[in-house]
Amino acid sequence: MLGNFFFVLTLADHGLIPIEREQHGRDVPRYLNADGRWAASGKKVPLLVWTDLDAAKNAASIASVARKKTVTVTSVAGSGFKVGKSVHVFTQLDHEALCGYFDRS
C-alpha cells in the first residue's frame, strides 16, 4: 500500500448524478460504504476500500450481479482517506455490503 492510496467501488449511474450535475456543474462520484450505500465521502460511514486491484475487481463483479447495475473500480488517494476514520479496508465480514444496504443495528 502506498500511503493513503486505495481502490474503491463506484456506481456510475447513481440516481443523484443528474441533480448534482445541475446544482454543482460537475459529477460527484459515489463510492460504496460499509453499510452498503453509495456515498460521496466517508464522513458518516467509512468507505469500503481495497489495497489489491484484483480483489477490488472481484468485489465489483459480485456487487454488479447482486445489484443488477454496473459497479466499477477506481482509486482514491490523499490525506483525507484514513483507515479507521473515513475508510475501512474490506474483509469477508463486509461481504453483505456488496449486495446492498443493510442495517447494522
Side-chain angles (χ1 to χ4, degrees):
M1 176 171 51
L2 302 170
N4 293 339
F5 177 87
F6 304 101
F7 297 104
V8 292
L9 303 188
T10 62
L11 183 65
D13 66 345
H14 189 276
L16 292 178
I17 287 176
I19 295 167
E20 290 170 340
R21 188 178 295 136
E22 184 177 312
Q23 289 177 344
H24 305 293
R26 64 183 176 89
D27 289 345
V28 178
R30 296 291 171 167
Y31 309 118
L32 186 63
N33 72 21
D35 283 347
R37 290 191 177 206
W38 300 102
S41 72
K43 289 180 183 174
K44 292 182 181 179
V45 177
L47 303 177
L48 287 177
V49 298
W50 288 257
T51 57
D52 178 78
L53 178 58
D54 289 334
K57 286 180 178 180
N58 184 54
S61 294
I62 293 167
S64 293
V65 170
R67 294 168 180 265
K68 298 181 177 113
K69 291 186 175 190
T70 302
V71 175
T72 59
V73 177
T74 193
S75 60
V76 295
S79 60
F81 298 98
K82 294 188 174 153
V83 174
K85 294 196 180 241
S86 59
V87 299
H88 170 75
V89 179
F90 181 85
T91 70
Q92 285 305 317
L93 297 174
D94 301 305
H95 189 271
E96 195 173 2
L98 299 176
C99 300
Y101 173 71
F102 67 98
D103 187 358
R104 290 181 182 266
S105 58

